Amino acid sequence: MELLDNLALGFSTALLVQNVLYCFVGVLLGTAVGVLPGIGPTATVAMLLPITFSFEPVTALIMLAGIYYGAQYGGSTTAILINLPGESSAAVTALDGHEMARHGRAGAALATAAVGSFIAGTVATVVLAVAAPPLARVALKFGPAEYFSLVLLGLIVSIALARGSALKALAMIALGVLLGTVGQDIYTGTPRFVFDQRELYGGIDFVSVAVGMFGVAEILRNLENEQTRTAIVSKVKNLWPTREDRRRIVGPILRGTGLGAALGVLPGGGHVLASFTSYAVEKRISKRPQEFGRGAIEGVAGPESANNAAAQTSFIPLLTLGLPAHPVMALMVGAFIVHGITPGPNVITDEPALFWGLIASMWIGNVLLVLLNLPLIGVWVRMLRIPYQVLFPMIILFAAIGTYSLGFNAYDVYAIVFFGLLGYVLIKCGCEPAPLLLGFVLGPLLEENMRRALIISRGDPSVFLTRPISAVLLALAVAALVAAALPTIRRRREVMFTEED
Amino acid sequence: MERRRSLPDVLAGAIFVLIGGAFVVGSLGYELGTPLRMGPGAFPLLVGAIVAVLGLAIVVKGLIAGEVVAFGPIPWRAVVFVVLALLFFGFTVRGLGFVPTSAVTALLTTLASSRVRPLMAVAVTAGLTVASTLIFVVGLQLRIPLWGPWLGF
């Protein structure tokens, strides 16, 4: 069995002492930022990325991945206990999870979330291991024209998943692509839009963009109206669900896992979509739909499983095509590049230990998360009492130090200010920052492949339509664009996302 | 659909038009090339134009059928202190060194909250300076001098 050999290689890499250690650090940090409202995994990964530059590539990626899926776990704790989703995908969990907590069943809700997440994470890791290699083999046949169309498709699909107006999301993507052109041109070396500043020749660092848009802008949002956070945290007791509960959560966990694993592959926030869809499905097929919103355990089990399954499978486009499905993945693309690895279909053949090690580490990370979350729940509850006045100066200071240490370049720090303010104004105007970051990271790929395809075709732009795979991908992109603009789907998205608020 | 103006929509659109337009003007200064060998200016020109057009569409939509987005208050105090803190860090970290720069940056940031109390601010500053020195310089071996040349070291 090739798969077993590969997994054996993966586990032998992932079980190295330093890899287990950093996997633990990653999921621990991830849980912490997932629990704390006001700081998300994107800002955290952006701040910690410079630190990982000195690590082995596989160790660095294991830790960064751990932060990402750890945050999905942690987000549900806050959602259940204080009705405040620490992460956007945990918003659905708050609906029924917090109701359960108010009825004194916080323990059962937390345990259900953890068990569901663990099962989903395990299954989705297997899906990832099975689905990634064949996809990578297909992707190896891609030329520049196919890559251009694929990147374009990825960018456009991410609109459908952003909340708010599709027009604004599209404009944010294009703006990200545009900002990505700052710096030296790849073919001619001409410096573009650098205002004669040598420091800008290498382009704007994506870490600055991420820290500014997701860290600084978010802090300014939180400082708009400062209120003392309600410190009324329900007591957690009776961690184990009753026999009746156990019977009721099996179906939702399995359905949620399936849904999440499938939807996670979509770029731009598949895990949020997965948890909302799973909630809708469970409510529809339930024999007791009136219980939903009043503390139905199915409403916790389904969405929690779905969002964790999606968190794992969203690594599929990253590892096979080099396409990030989430802003955190966009940062991981940067981590790959810093370590001299081009993310894409070649990773699996060129760096098998890294590829399988990362996948195996996800299962180890899921085990660690269950251990971290259930027995140590009291620690996380206490963390919720840290006042924001301590938290945000820490984020700002660490952000400044982190970005400065990227290249000891003060311009990277000034860039956070610029993107923090730009992001803040745009977010206030109803524009989501995630599409901009995806556009920023994928923009250079888009330009490079477009120009390369045109050189190969001797300047004939019809190459994008005459090559079959490219044409199909472009057709899908157009379909996604039309779907995002169609009123019926837009209304349904609005309904879904208003429930979140 | 009823007509409703949305100021945030118009503002967002205007930002896109402005940035897109600036890049279009800028890219005209670079060689555009031919489709076979695209010059450095071609791609930014194309994308800049797309951004500007989308921005224009958002402005128009904002004037006719805007989204209802509550703009909300702007925390001027927070904006000023956070910006000041970050600029201070970038400007002085090389000259003053890690410890003084971190301390002042942390102190400026704590002042961003309107509910800050002096004792709290000093405690947070001291705690964060010690923590970041331990984490970044001692733990992670970041190559930034603790005390910079401006202080006579």
Side-chain angles (χ1 to χ4, degrees):
Chain A
M1 278 288 285
E2 198 191 353
L3 183 65
L4 288 183
D5 288 342
N6 288 331
L7 284 178
L9 171 68
F11 276 102
S12 65
T13 313
L15 285 171
L16 292 175
V17 176
Q18 84 263 28
N19 289 344
V20 174
L21 183 70
Y22 279 105
C23 183
F24 177 75
V25 172
V27 295
L28 185 72
L29 276 169
T31 312
V33 298
V35 167
L36 290 171
I39 176 167
T42 310
T44 314
V45 169
M47 283 190 278
L48 293 177
L49 194 64
I51 295 169
T52 64
F53 289 174
S54 58
F55 295 0
E56 289 281 309
V58 63
T59 312
L61 290 166
I62 284 175
M63 181 174 121
L64 297 175
I67 296 175
Y68 174 66
Y69 56 78
Q72 313 297 331
Y73 263 74
S76 56
T77 306
T78 327
I80 290 169
L81 292 178
I82 58 171
N83 200 16
L84 212 107
E87 248 274 289
S88 52
S89 53
V92 201
T93 314
L95 297 176
D96 278 288
H98 187 62
E99 278 305 310
M100 286 180 72
R102 283 179 55 187
H103 295 144
R105 305 191 59 221
L110 288 168
T112 304
V115 171
S117 299
F118 174 71
I119 295 174
T122 308
V123 174
T125 306
V126 175
V127 171
L128 174 57
V130 173
L135 256 172
R137 271 196 290 279
V138 173
L140 272 176
K141 300 200 182 82
F142 279 21
E146 283 80 11
Y147 252 102
F148 170 82
S149 307
L150 183 69
V151 173
L152 199 64
L153 173 64
L155 285 175
I156 287 177
V157 172
S158 76
I159 305 173
L161 302 175
R163 61 195 278 192
S165 126
L167 196 58
K168 284 178 183 168
L170 195 59
M172 286 297 268
I173 291 175
L175 184 62
V177 174
L178 193 57
L179 291 168
T181 63
V182 172
Q184 276 184 317
D185 172 37
I186 34 168
Y187 284 98
T188 60
T190 315
R192 298 188 290 193
F193 314 110
V194 296
F195 306 107
D196 286 327
Q197 303 292 318
R198 276 230 152 260
E199 286 84 353
L200 279 175
Y201 275 34
I204 303 167
D205 208 291
F206 60 92
V207 172
S208 303
V209 182
V211 168
M213 292 246 161
F214 288 86
V216 177
E218 183 66 29
I219 286 173
L220 293 177
R221 289 282 293 174
N222 288 330
L223 289 175
E224 273 173 12
N225 41 14
E226 294 181 67
Q227 295 158 341
T228 25
R229 209 181 283 149
T230 39
I232 316 150
V233 179
S234 350
K235 272 261 185 302
V236 183
K237 51 188 179 203
N238 295 339
L239 219 46
W240 285 113
T242 60
R243 181 190 297 261
E244 165 72 1
D245 288 337
R246 288 203 295 272
R247 199 181 51 74
R248 284 172 63 179
I249 62 176
V250 175
I253 288 179
L254 295 180
R255 282 187 292 273
T257 304
L259 264 174
L263 290 174
V265 185
L266 296 173
H271 59 295
V272 182
L273 188 74
S275 56
F276 278 100
T277 314
S278 163
Y279 190 79
V281 167
E282 292 309 325
K283 194 171 174 179
R284 182 160 301 171
I285 65 170
S286 168
K287 291 190 205 90
R288 293 163 288 210
Q290 71 281 0
E291 274 186 29
F292 279 77
R294 299 206 180 87
I297 199 164
E298 292 92 340
V300 175
E304 270 307 302
S305 313
N307 100 50
N308 278 279
Q312 309 296 347
T313 53
S314 56
F315 281 91
I316 290 179
L318 176 74
L319 291 171
T320 57
L321 306 166
L323 286 186
H326 184 276
V328 172
M329 311 272 162
L331 291 163
M332 289 182 70
V333 168
F336 272 108
I337 292 170
V338 164
H339 288 291
I341 304 163
T342 314
N346 287 317
V347 174
I348 195 170
T349 42
D350 294 353
E351 306 272 347
L354 180 138
F355 182 89
W356 295 104
L358 183 59
I359 290 179
S361 84
M362 289 178 193
W363 190 75
I364 296 172
N366 273 291
V367 175
L368 291 172
L369 277 168
V370 171
L371 298 179
L372 269 175
N373 272 269
L374 289 183
L376 294 180
I377 189 72
V379 178
W380 303 118
V381 173
R382 224 165 292 145
M383 242 181 71
L384 284 171
R385 304 222 168 90
I386 299 177
Y388 197 62
Q389 279 124 299
V390 176
L391 214 52
F392 82 83
M394 184 172 90
I395 300 169
I396 295 275
L397 182 62
F398 283 15
I401 298 170
T403 28
Y404 181 72
S405 65
L406 279 174
F408 300 96
N409 183 347
Y411 274 73
D412 289 335
V413 183
Y414 302 146
I416 320 178
V417 178
F418 175 78
F419 285 102
L421 293 177
L422 180 69
Y424 177 63
V425 174
L426 287 172
I427 292 169
K428 264 178 112 62
C429 293
C431 301
E432 284 274 293
L436 186 143
L437 192 64
L438 286 183
F440 183 80
V441 172
L442 293 177
L445 271 176
L446 203 61
E447 180 181 10
E448 188 187 338
N449 284 301
M450 179 176 158
R451 285 165 78 173
R452 195 181 291 161
L454 285 174
I455 290 172
I456 293 172
S457 75
R458 314 232 119 255
D460 178 10
S462 69
V463 62
F464 298 109
L465 297 173
T466 49
R467 292 183 65 116
I469 298 178
S470 167
V472 170
L473 292 169
L474 282 180
L476 287 173
V478 171
L481 198 59
V482 172
L486 277 181
T488 46
I489 294 176
R490 202 167 65 212
R491 224 172 297 132
R492 275 180 73 180
R493 272 176 47 214
E494 270 163 25
V495 171
M496 267 170 41
F497 284 119
T498 38
E499 274 181 29
E500 192 177 329
D501 293 317
Chain B
M1 198 184 250
E2 61 175 305
R3 279 173 152 252
R4 45 170 204 262
R5 280 190 194 172
S6 159
L7 189 67
D9 272 8
V10 175
L11 178 61
I15 293 173
F16 289 123
V17 172
L18 200 73
I19 300 180
F23 271 83
V24 167
V25 172
S27 57
L28 289 174
Y30 304 112
E31 206 185 322
L32 295 180
T34 60
L36 172 55
R37 295 230 174 269
M38 284 166 82
F43 187 76
L45 178 69
L46 183 70
V47 182
I50 293 175
V51 171
V53 168
L54 287 172
L56 212 57
I58 294 172
V59 170
V60 171
K61 191 165 165 282
L63 290 174
I64 302 168
E67 273 186 282
V68 192
V69 183
F71 197 74
I74 296 177
W76 287 112
R77 180 191 170 115
V79 172
V80 169
F81 277 106
V82 167
V83 168
L84 217 59
L86 287 169
L87 291 181
F88 179 87
F89 186 94
F91 192 69
T92 62
V93 66
R94 198 172 288 262
L96 287 178
F98 188 87
V99 175
T101 306
S102 297
V104 177
T105 304
L107 185 67
L108 284 172
T109 318
T110 55
L111 297 177
S113 165
S114 53
R115 302 156 61 101
V116 69
R117 290 185 306 273
L119 200 67
M120 174 93 163
V122 173
V124 170
T125 302
L128 283 182
T129 309
V130 172
S132 56
T133 308
L134 287 178
I135 295 174
F136 288 96
V137 182
V138 179
L140 295 161
Q141 310 273 312
L142 206 64
R143 286 174 295 112
I144 302 179
L146 289 178
W147 308 94
W150 290 359
L151 299 171
F153 288 91

